Amino acid sequence: MSGVRAPTSAWPTLQQERLLRAALLADERGLEAWRELRPALEGSLGDGALLPLLPALRANLRALGVEDPLMAALDELHVRTWTHNQALLAAALAHVRALEKGGIPTLLLKGAALALGDRHGAAVRYMSDLDVLVPTARRLEAIDRLVALGLGPVDGRPLWYLRVFQPRHSPSAGFADASGRQLDLHWHVLHLSCQPDADEDFWAAASPVQRGPTRTRVLCAADALLHAVLHGVALGPAPSYRWVLDAALILRQPLDADRLVAQARRRRVAVALRAGLLYLRQTIDVPIPDEVIRALRAGPRPLERVELRAITTPAARRSPLERAVLYHQQGARRELPMGSTSARAHLALARERFGVRRPGDLRAIPRGGTTGPGRPIADASAAIDAGALDLPAAPIVVGEPVAMSDRDRAASLVADGAWAPEDGGMWLAGPRARLVLPLATTPDASLILGLSGEALFGSPRSWSLEVGANGQPAGTIALSGGRPEVVDARVRLPAAAIAGCPRVELSLTGSHPGSPADAGLDDHDDRQVSFFVRELCLSTPPTCGPGEELAFGAGAVGEAALAGGWHVPQRFGRWSGRGAATLLLRVAPEPLGIVLEAEPFLGASGRPLEVDVRAGALSVARLRYDAHGITSRRIAVPAGATDERGELELTIRVRRPRAERPADGPVLGLFLRRLVVHRGA
């Protein structure tokens, strides 16, 4: 939930371009770039962002005969890079060899492919990890084999996530050994081409390579260039310009230009490839023939052009059209046959995902919703689907909180509509989610659902979460304030919906889904979400006899009676908000007197506050507060207000509650401190 600052462009900055030119232009232009760059490098060679290019810079400067005091440091870095790469290769290739021995073919990508063949020396390209491709159909076998070798997911994600969800939105997953050396396992070469058969021709054209006893493969030059460019032009959390170095190294060998163009057109990435090749030609003068550029430009490619704008723009700055096209293309690259340009097929997919009827309707899709009954803009294929997991769900014990940061526990409760659990909790995906909660004991009365987490505000200044239980509406969590806000809310799950049921199926429908990028939490997190659930808890309402009192400060016993419509707890009580605030008690079915100790929020105007109180279906009081300060009011509750189970629901509704700040502050009504039950109305 912490903010992540995003770069403003996928392309290198001016200073980075100088470094690229100094490292890759073997003539006077490289020397000129070095002279412009040199003052900025004083004392900054240890900068991790520069590390990928410094070995190549050293090699080029040596070839150009440059004498400079920094050369000694660059020479030392050359030795360290070579040593580091050799150690990484030795460890990772042992795992590659184990995969091959297990009958799983492998193919090295990116820096590993450049270093292994010793095309340009293993010290020119710094490697932070080793990228290995396996056939798409052998992904699960490869994961199991790496785990058996002692490797584990680098981000701590459980194996069920890698098996079920990772392939739906990513072509790879990172693993690390006990020493922290990383191996990225790929089951697709390209993020922009993930159809089941997308990699068959990559494998068919691959070249065999060998290092010691390890035999594996590398992409042919045309495919390697396609991969390097497409991997580089997309904006990521930590954009690296090492793709420019990779492309320059690849282009030093013979290139099948016809294959490059055919691959790009077939995979519908010609616009992105052309943009990357033009950048390479303009920046480091690589020999890209004009006929290649012309061939990549041929033909109408409107979706590809909008997609290129989207992938090179920070998520928070994407237009609704760019956002919609990006999600459409993500689905098309997994669900439509490779190379499909059928307008009918694309429209059918857009109708399913967004509910659109015509291609132009994509422009009308709001930032966080749909134009019809289709799936939300959120990549629902990456959210949890019903029946996708076979994780046993431990029964929920009433009164015991369930932390949604426990990934296995949280995932076992999800039926659909939620992103996979992560550190701290779990995002609801798009507008609606379903959780199935098995119960340790079958309830005979109402329960209260407690939800804690954060609401995500998009463009509107209000937010709500509709809660249903076993197909019946239960209540609404409503907030306002125009910013992400902590939620500690409670909703009554009525006995009519849950009594006698061994499990509770919750439906959670959020209004105005947005993305963390929209809210400024993480500029690269473009998932459509509505609520971040940190914890849930089922509890029973308190039983109150005559003479008993309930206090409502944080952690007090009275908190168990709150059943919806209250703000987060404070030291001495809780504020009611906009709409109804409810209390649920179990009492004797007899006339009662309920004393409410509370104080009003009158706002800047100081106008009196009017409050309606209902007990069950009966209107029992209209209270008027015309001054600040704690006030005790007694309310007569007839015996008929209590239902057959002894449950008494008190509903407090403030007429015209006021905002704490006129512009965007929360709406406040009554500050409830204490409740006392007396016998007799």
Side-chain angles (χ1 to χ4, degrees):
M1 296 293 293
S2 59
V4 178
R5 179 170 178 162
T8 58
S9 171
W11 307 106
T13 64
L14 176 61
Q15 198 75 325
Q16 292 167 351
E17 284 187 354
R18 287 172 177 163
L19 179 54
L20 287 167
R21 292 170 65 83
L24 298 172
L25 293 175
D27 53 27
E28 180 58 33
R29 294 170 300 172
L31 291 174
E32 180 182 356
W34 167 246
R35 289 190 289 269
E36 294 172 342
L37 176 71
R38 176 62 177 83
L41 290 183
E42 194 68 49
S44 65
L45 290 183
D47 185 350
L50 301 178
L51 190 59
L53 275 185
L54 291 181
L57 174 67
R58 176 259 180 198
N60 198 39
L61 295 181
R62 284 292 183 204
L64 291 171
V66 171
E67 297 292 338
D68 188 285
L70 279 182
M71 293 305 297
L74 290 174
D75 287 341
E76 182 181 347
L77 179 63
H78 166 84
V79 174
R80 292 206 310 269
T81 300
W82 186 90
T83 304
H84 166 84
N85 285 352
Q86 294 302 318
L88 178 63
L89 280 170
L93 287 179
H95 304 315
V96 171
R97 189 161 61 251
L99 291 173
E100 289 278 351
K101 284 185 176 180
I104 303 174
T106 62
L107 187 154
L108 301 187
L109 300 170
K110 298 191 286 189
L114 293 169
L116 190 65
D118 198 30
R119 296 172 183 168
H120 310 288
V124 174
R125 170 51 156 92
Y126 177 86
M127 293 188 297
S128 56
D129 53 31
L130 187 136
D131 295 86
V132 181
L133 176 75
V134 297
T136 306
R138 310 293 296 274
R139 174 180 58 84
L140 294 179
E141 295 176 64
I143 290 174
D144 290 342
R145 185 66 173 164
L146 292 180
V147 171
L149 293 170
L151 282 77
V154 295
D155 54 7
R157 285 178 171 170
L159 289 179
W160 57 257
Y161 182 92
L162 298 187
R163 293 172 175 276
V164 177
F165 303 114
Q166 191 92 350
R168 302 181 183 182
H169 60 90
S170 175
S172 63
F175 289 82
D177 63 15
S179 300
R181 291 184 289 257
Q182 286 190 218
L183 183 148
D184 280 356
L185 181 70
H186 293 248
W187 43 89
H188 289 298
V189 173
L190 302 176
H191 281 77
L192 299 182
S193 188
C194 293
Q195 300 86 347
D197 61 344
D199 298 87
E200 290 179 1
D201 57 350
F202 287 144
W203 286 98
S207 303
V209 293
Q210 183 167 352
R211 171 74 170 266
T214 304
R215 293 175 178 166
T216 183
R217 300 156 194 81
V218 296
L219 294 173
C220 72
D223 295 345
L225 181 62
L226 179 74
H227 181 218
V229 173
L230 294 181
H231 183 73
V233 298
L235 183 63
S240 170
Y241 40 86
R242 74 178 71 183
W243 71 273
V244 179
L245 170 61
D246 288 354
L249 295 177
I250 294 166
L251 283 165
R252 291 177 183 176
Q253 57 186 306
L255 180 71
D256 184 344
D258 291 339
R259 178 179 176 86
L260 178 66
V261 171
Q263 286 279 45
R265 293 175 67 89
R266 183 183 178 213
R267 298 169 191 278
R268 296 178 292 107
V269 294
V271 172
L273 177 63
R274 181 177 182 272
L277 294 180
L278 282 174
Y279 179 84
L280 292 172
R281 190 163 73 172
Q282 294 164 3
T283 304
I284 58 172
D285 195 27
V286 295
I288 306 295
D290 289 339
E291 54 268 25
V292 171
I293 301 298
R294 286 195 296 269
L296 292 172
R297 188 177 184 179
R301 301 180 180 278
L303 286 179
E304 288 184 40
R305 292 188 178 93
V306 178
E307 181 183 38
L308 177 63
R309 292 203 306 268
I311 65 175
T312 56
T313 301
R317 300 185 183 182
R318 290 173 185 151
S319 70
L321 176 62
E322 290 167 351
R323 191 184 302 269
V325 167
L326 182 62
Y327 282 117
H328 170 77
Q329 291 287 77
Q330 287 175 348
R333 297 185 190 287
R334 286 173 170 81
E335 300 177 33
L336 297 184
M338 190 164 56
S340 172
T341 58
S342 166
R344 179 175 298 179
H346 279 268
L347 183 57
L349 180 64
R351 183 180 298 116
E352 179 193 355
R353 292 172 69 91
F354 307 119
V356 303
R357 296 183 180 276
R358 299 175 300 276
D361 290 344
L362 283 172
R363 295 179 178 274
I365 294 177
R367 288 181 70 84
T370 67
T371 59
R375 300 207 303 260
I377 287 181
D379 185 356
S381 66
I384 297 177
D385 295 324
L389 292 177
D390 187 21
L391 294 175
I396 302 291
V397 176
V398 173
E400 292 187 4
V402 177
M404 303 307 277
S405 56
D406 182 338
R407 295 178 176 182
D408 288 353
R409 183 80 189 281
S412 71
L413 302 177
V414 173
D416 56 44
W419 294 94
E422 56 194 74
D423 291 343
M426 178 186 71
W427 281 110
L428 304 187
R432 188 172 186 273
R434 288 192 307 122
L435 306 181
V436 178
L437 312 181
L439 303 178
T441 56
T442 302
D444 60 0
S446 299
L447 294 175
I448 295 177
L449 168 69
L451 282 177
S452 62
E454 282 106 79
L456 183 81
F457 285 94
S459 54
R461 294 199 170 192
S462 62
W463 176 89
S464 64
L465 186 71
E466 300 287 340
V467 180
N470 291 344
Q472 298 187 32
T476 301
I477 299 169
L479 296 172
S480 62
R483 62 188 184 279
E485 187 166 335
V486 174
V487 175
D488 183 1
R490 298 165 69 81
V491 174
R492 178 187 183 184
L493 306 183
I498 65 170
C501 297
R503 68 180 194 172
V504 175
E505 181 176 318
L506 291 178
S507 64
L508 304 172
T509 306
S511 67
H512 312 300
S515 73
D518 292 332
L521 300 177
D522 185 337
D523 285 337
H524 293 285
D525 193 343
D526 199 26
R527 294 175 296 171
Q528 292 297 294
V529 301
S530 59
F531 182 61
F532 189 74
V533 186
R534 293 191 178 276
E535 185 177 274
L536 65 82
C537 183
L538 295 176
S539 60
T540 56
T543 299
C544 290
E548 293 189 42
E549 68 174 55
L550 298 176
F552 294 96
V557 175
E559 291 280 289
L562 300 175
W566 302 93
H567 286 296
V568 296
Q570 298 188 22
R571 183 177 179 185
F572 297 112
R574 287 235 195 181
W575 283 105
S576 69
R578 191 189 304 274
T582 59
L583 300 168
L584 186 64
L585 309 173
R586 302 193 76 169
V587 297
E590 59 180 337
L592 299 172
I594 305 290
V595 175
L596 297 179
E597 185 180 282
E599 55 188 298
F601 181 75
L602 302 182
S605 68
R607 294 194 305 269
L609 203 69
E610 292 188 348
V611 179
D612 293 326
V613 182
R614 298 181 69 86
L618 305 176
S619 177
V620 295
R622 176 170 292 177
L623 309 177
R624 179 183 174 89
Y625 295 85
D626 55 7
H628 288 290
I630 303 172
T631 304
S632 293
R633 301 290 176 86
R634 185 182 177 104
I635 300 165
V637 177
T642 304
D643 68 14
E644 67 276 9
R645 293 181 173 85
E647 294 182 357
L648 173 64
E649 183 177 67
L650 292 176
T651 303
I652 299 169
R653 184 181 295 273
V654 177
R655 296 187 175 192
R656 302 183 184 88
R658 289 89 197 250
E660 184 181 20
R661 294 183 299 276
D664 65 353
V667 173
L668 305 177
L670 275 186
F671 187 72
L672 183 62
R673 290 175 173 267
R674 198 167 63 101
L675 176 151
V676 183
V677 178
H678 296 282
R679 178 175 286 114

